[in-house]
Amino acid sequence: MSSEEERGLALRNNWMDALSGASSEDWSALPPELLEMIGSNLTEGAHMQNAAMVCKSWNASIATGLTSMEVDMHSDPGMWRSKIVKLQSLIRHLRCVVIHVNAAITDDMLFQNIALVQQLKGVSELKLHLREGCDLPPAAAAAIGAMPHLTSLSVIGGNLKPDAAASLLSSVAASSACDVVGGLGLRSLTLLPAVPYGLGDAEMAVLSACSSLEVLEFRAYRLTSAGLATLSLGLPRLTRLAITSLDSDSGYELACLERLAQLAELDLALDNAPIGAASRRALCAVKPGRSLSLSFRWTDKAQGLLTEYGNRLANLTHLDVGACRVGSESLFEAVAQLTGLRELRMAVYSNADHCIPCHLSRLSALAALQRFQLEKRRAYFPEARRFGESSIAVPVTAEGLRSLAGRWSRLRSLRLALSRKDYSPEALSVLSNFTGLRDLGILVERYPGSSSTSSSSSSGPQQQQQEGVQEGSGGSFTHPAHASIASSSSGSSCNVGLGRLHRRTVELPPVLDLAWLPPGLQSLELNNLLLDLDEPAASLTVAAPSLQPLPLSHLTNLDIEACVVRQLLLPQVARRCAASLRSLRLAGVVGLCDAVLSECLTALPMLRSLTVSAPGNRAVSQASLAALSASHTSREVVKGIPVTDDDGSGSTTAAAAATPWRRFPQQHHQRPLLPLLRHLTWESEDLTARGPDLSTLAPLTALRHLYLSCTDKTAERALGSLRVLQEALPYCHVDMVWTTARPGDVL
């Protein structure tokens, strides 16, 4: 038995002993954090009502620990009224409510439903998420802004038209004027509608009258320097200001922001760097110790700003240089002066006729860095009239990463999106040196015409490794993991079964053994890689259990796209992160089939979001989707694949003997698969061609968002009417490929 399994068994036994000896009076002794974690799984009124019927002590205790709830607004006012009443009676300490609104709810329904939300007297934080195509009417906006006891308000997504924005801000300003003397008033306001909408100069005068605001974040639309000057005349308590989508071509005069005396955090997303000496001095005038965040879409002027004022921006903590055309390595040198940076995002490109080396070691002086993202984009070469790989070389070597890991001890997030030639064969094997990493993304970008541009974009003569790909059935492949590392550029080839591919010579992507990853990862994104998982030898697990967790054991989000995997790898990964994984995305994965999917999903009971995209892969069908809605009594055999141990062996008996805690799912009781699944995206050949199967979707009652790869016409032929699917999933927002205007009265 491995150390992780022993710890899991001991923890489970301790909980069983504690629960078996606990009396009804002991529920109140549970910590509030545990009660809130349990309550986060109670997403519907029926769930809360069932939980309240356990006993009186449990009803009182679970209500004490629950302070937030996420609900979906129902189109039927009666059903919505019933849900609000249940929220009021079952959760008496409710403080935060997140409400999702879809496009099927009309303006009158939305106004009536918001009026019912006002009955929740204890709610101080309201988050309204509007689906695509959903409008916020002025009457509903005014009702939201006038809600009493509200200290935080967020409106995200949807369409916020000028009349609705004016009504909302007027109500907020009136409430702030009444609450400034004796009450708390609205402290935080976030308005992030869809991109065509936002706040302009006309709304700045009303917004500046919201004197109780301390945190303000909004999307700008046609906002000018005059609007910023108007905004700075008010808001005496403002400590954080975040403005996105500043779309002025001439830049902004930011000197007016010096009037905000209490401003501690400034976050600006601009198209261009600010012009004029006064504006640039305004950026540098923010007092030391305060946070300054800058992001640019175009960085021709930003590079000059960083070069000229980089040594004066000691308070700059977040920097996003956007798409930057690199002419030399001076950009890296300018960024290296910003020693206070905690977050850095760079997207570089170049169409020069010579190679420009950009070494990551130049950024080693950024010792305070916590998040780093680097992307190499494609470039347009006018002489050849084509797009291709940029003439930039960003060498990623084992020695370089090992050096950065020693200097970037605070790094928590790392994302690299480079070309195949930038990764040396042994570079990824030292990722475990970044012991503090929580988020990791390794992407191998594929550029158009990369074979013809390799001479201009490579840092030197490199012999590219060529592998032979033969047509096969997609059943298995021989992974050249360690062989390819030993001979980095050898011309040896191996036969890889990649499905129905033509016989041709391709360049295999880099190899990544998942055992090389840091043990504390919570989010992992992989693209265009050869994946493997080298389990530790059996003799190593006989010794005393180590306190160091295994890689992937704390993973909550996993995104794999265009990677090559063997059949048993994904089930191995699923068993490692079975207790923690919440979101899974598999797109274009070579080696994926129904049997593998069924085995993975069986081991992931905590999954909340699932995306499967397999266009052109006939081995993936709705048969594995049917496994989501089926109840099961054992996971001994799923679609012909036996339950295997973590080492990939097929001995079911040995696995059961070595891990006693796996015997519990084998008891003869019915339980649905993935009971917490709320978001599902499915794209397969049979779904696109024949439409959805209602019997596989109807049992997924916890779903709140469903996307299907078929068209509305195909789904209508398969189901008879789209209304059938909406009636089976009344709380779910169903989306698909629409060939006509989306009917609001159907979906």
Side-chain angles (χ1 to χ4, degrees):
M1 182 184 300
S2 64
S3 59
E4 181 186 11
E5 293 166 352
E6 291 179 353
R7 289 195 300 270
L9 181 59
L11 180 61
R12 190 163 125 54
N13 292 336
N14 292 339
W15 271 104
M16 295 299 293
D17 295 340
L19 294 179
S20 61
S23 61
S24 58
E25 291 80 12
D26 292 334
W27 293 121
S28 59
L30 293 176
E33 295 81 5
L34 180 59
L35 294 174
E36 187 172 356
M37 183 182 66
I38 297 174
S40 64
N41 297 324
L42 307 177
T43 57
E44 291 303 322
H47 297 165
M48 293 182 291
Q49 189 171 4
N50 294 334
M53 295 172 63
V54 174
C55 65
K56 293 182 179 180
S57 176
W58 174 250
N59 183 22
S61 300
I62 195 68
T64 303
L66 284 178
T67 58
S68 62
M69 179 61 61
E70 184 174 356
V71 296
D72 292 85
M73 184 173 289
H74 202 284
S75 57
D76 185 1
M79 296 290 293
W80 179 247
R81 183 184 299 274
S82 175
K83 181 177 290 189
I84 294 297
V85 171
K86 289 178 180 178
L87 284 176
Q88 243 179 339
S89 60
L90 298 178
I91 310 179
R92 295 178 293 276
H93 299 270
L94 191 62
R95 295 292 179 265
C96 175
V97 178
V98 182
I99 302 177
H100 297 270
V101 183
N102 56 45
I105 298 179
T106 62
D107 294 352
D108 295 337
M109 290 181 184
L110 183 58
F111 175 72
Q112 297 175 5
N113 292 343
I114 292 299
L116 292 175
V117 175
Q118 293 179 342
Q119 299 178 7
L120 301 176
K121 304 298 183 181
V123 173
S124 60
E125 183 176 354
L126 175 63
K127 298 180 181 180
L128 197 65
H129 291 261
L130 305 177
R131 304 283 189 185
E132 181 182 358
C134 183
D135 293 332
L136 183 63
I144 294 174
M147 287 186 62
H149 311 294
L150 206 61
T151 60
S152 177
L153 173 62
S154 300
V155 179
I156 301 175
N159 305 332
L160 185 64
K161 297 181 180 179
D163 53 349
S167 301
L168 176 63
L169 295 178
S170 299
S171 299
V172 171
S175 301
S176 299
C178 298
D179 295 334
V180 161
V181 178
L184 296 177
L186 190 67
R187 299 295 183 89
S188 176
L189 177 62
T190 300
L191 299 177
L192 296 175
V195 174
Y197 301 93
L199 304 183
D201 292 346
E203 291 79 18
M204 291 299 104
V206 183
L207 187 58
S208 62
C210 303
S211 55
S212 62
L213 285 181
E214 298 178 359
V215 178
L216 175 61
E217 182 178 1
F218 67 92
R219 186 184 304 278
Y221 181 68
R222 296 181 179 177
L223 180 65
T224 64
S225 298
L228 284 179
T230 303
L231 180 66
S232 63
L233 295 176
L235 306 178
R237 302 181 180 180
L238 195 66
T239 59
R240 183 179 186 274
L241 175 62
I243 308 177
T244 62
S245 301
L246 292 175
D247 52 4
S248 174
D249 294 334
S250 59
Y252 287 84
E253 293 295 336
L254 301 176
C256 60
L257 297 180
E258 297 178 354
R259 303 171 186 169
L260 301 173
Q262 302 296 326
L263 189 64
E265 299 180 12
L266 178 61
D267 188 346
L268 300 177
L270 307 96
D271 285 347
N272 296 300
I275 60 175
S279 296
R280 294 188 173 185
R281 284 195 301 268
L283 287 178
C284 303
V286 182
K287 296 180 180 180
R290 297 186 176 184
S291 174
L292 176 62
S293 304
L294 296 177
S295 60
F296 306 100
R297 185 186 303 177
W298 311 107
T299 53
D300 293 338
K301 299 177 182 178
Q303 185 169 351
L305 169 67
L306 297 176
T307 303
E308 182 178 358
Y309 289 90
N311 55 352
R312 301 176 59 182
L313 290 172
N315 55 334
L316 188 62
T317 58
H318 300 74
L319 177 62
D320 186 351
V321 297
C324 180
R325 181 179 177 181
V326 178
S328 63
E329 209 173 356
S330 59
L331 176 63
F332 280 42
E333 297 174 354
V335 172
Q337 304 178 49
L338 309 173
T339 55
L341 277 182
R342 296 197 297 264
E343 181 175 353
L344 175 60
R345 299 180 182 180
M346 305 176 66
V348 296
Y349 72 95
S350 176
N351 58 357
D353 56 357
H354 62 281
C355 178
I356 301 176
C358 296
H359 297 280
L360 294 178
S361 58
R362 293 186 178 273
L363 303 177
S364 60
L366 305 178
L369 203 61
Q370 298 178 7
R371 301 177 63 89
F372 177 64
Q373 295 186 14
L374 178 61
E375 176 185 358
K376 184 168 74 172
R377 296 187 175 180
R378 66 175 187 172
Y380 180 73
F381 295 86
E383 296 83 2
R385 297 181 180 179
R386 58 168 175 78
F387 282 94
E389 181 181 349
S390 296
S391 54
I392 301 175
V394 187
V396 179
T397 61
E399 182 180 357
L401 289 182
R402 192 178 293 109
S403 175
L404 289 178
R407 300 295 300 273
W408 293 353
S409 58
R410 302 180 183 179
L411 193 67
R412 295 296 179 265
S413 177
L414 174 64
R415 187 177 188 270
L416 300 176
L418 306 173
S419 67
R420 170 66 179 88
K421 296 183 294 297
D422 293 324
Y423 295 98
S424 63
E426 70 281 356
L428 302 181
S429 62
V430 299
L431 288 174
S432 59
N433 291 345
F434 292 92
T435 55
L437 271 187
R438 295 298 177 263
D439 304 330
L440 175 63
I442 301 296
L443 291 79
V444 180
E445 298 288 354
R446 288 174 288 187
Y447 306 92
S450 59
S451 60
S452 59
T453 63
S454 59
S455 60
S456 62
S457 60
S458 60
S459 59
Q462 295 183 359
Q463 179 183 0
Q464 300 177 356
Q465 181 181 3
Q466 303 292 330
E467 303 288 350
V469 179
Q470 297 183 354
E471 182 178 0
S473 60
S476 62
F477 84 103
T478 304
H479 198 324
H482 303 289
S484 62
I485 295 177
S487 55
S488 61
S489 299
S490 63
S492 61
S493 62
C494 68
N495 296 331
V496 182
L498 301 181
R500 300 175 59 85
L501 295 180
H502 297 286
R503 184 187 300 272
R504 58 189 176 92
T505 302
V506 298
E507 180 184 0
L508 284 182
V511 176
L512 175 62
D513 193 327
L514 299 182
W516 298 338
L517 300 179
L521 278 182
Q522 298 177 358
S523 179
L524 180 61
E525 181 184 4
L526 304 175
N527 186 296
N528 196 21
L529 294 166
L530 281 172
L531 301 183
D532 193 15
L533 180 57
D534 187 14
E535 294 287 350
S539 59
L540 299 179
T541 62
V542 178
S546 174
L547 297 179
Q548 184 73 8
L550 293 174
L552 309 178
S553 59
H554 295 87
L555 204 62
T556 59
N557 298 282
L558 178 59
D559 188 335
I560 301 178
E561 181 176 356
C563 293
V564 182
V565 300
R566 54 183 175 86
Q567 270 195 344
L568 296 179
L569 183 137
L570 291 178
Q572 284 179 265
V573 174
R575 286 191 291 273
R576 283 203 176 192
C577 55
S580 59
L581 194 65
R582 300 294 187 270
S583 176
L584 174 63
R585 179 177 180 267
L586 302 174
V589 177
V590 179
L592 190 65
C593 60
D594 287 338
V596 172
L597 268 177
S598 300
E599 175 69 6
C600 289
L601 299 178
T602 305
L604 299 173
M606 306 302 295
L607 203 62
R608 294 176 179 265
S609 177
L610 174 63
T611 298
V612 176
S613 178
N617 186 357
R618 297 184 179 179
V620 177
S621 64
Q622 295 183 77
S624 51
L625 181 60
L628 298 180
S629 56
S631 299
H632 66 289
T633 58
S634 175
R635 53 186 299 260
E636 284 288 336
V637 178
V638 181
K639 302 294 291 183
I641 291 186
V643 175
T644 59
D645 200 357
D646 290 341
D647 59 354
S649 63
S651 176
T652 306
T653 305
T659 56
W661 59 274
R662 291 183 182 174
R663 297 176 184 174
F664 288 92
Q666 300 174 7
Q667 296 175 357
H668 295 279
H669 65 277
Q670 299 290 325
R671 64 180 181 89
L673 285 172
L674 305 185
L676 305 178
L677 188 66
R678 295 178 61 87
H679 303 274
L680 175 62
T681 299
W682 195 271
E683 181 179 1
S684 61
E685 289 292 311
D686 65 324
L687 175 61
T688 305
R690 298 192 296 270
D693 184 3
L694 185 62
S695 61
T696 63
L697 296 176
L700 304 177
T701 56
L703 279 182
R704 294 299 172 263
H705 189 277
L706 172 64
Y707 176 79
L708 304 175
S709 61
C710 61
T711 63
D712 55 339
K713 299 297 184 183
T714 304
E716 191 171 5
R717 286 195 301 268
L719 301 175
S721 174
L722 295 181
R723 192 179 299 275
V724 176
L725 184 58
Q726 185 61 59
E727 292 176 352
L729 302 172
Y731 294 100
C732 184
H733 174 74
V734 183
D735 201 1
M736 58 189 68
V737 181
W738 296 97
T739 59
T740 58
R742 183 180 306 177
D745 57 342
V746 177
L747 286 178

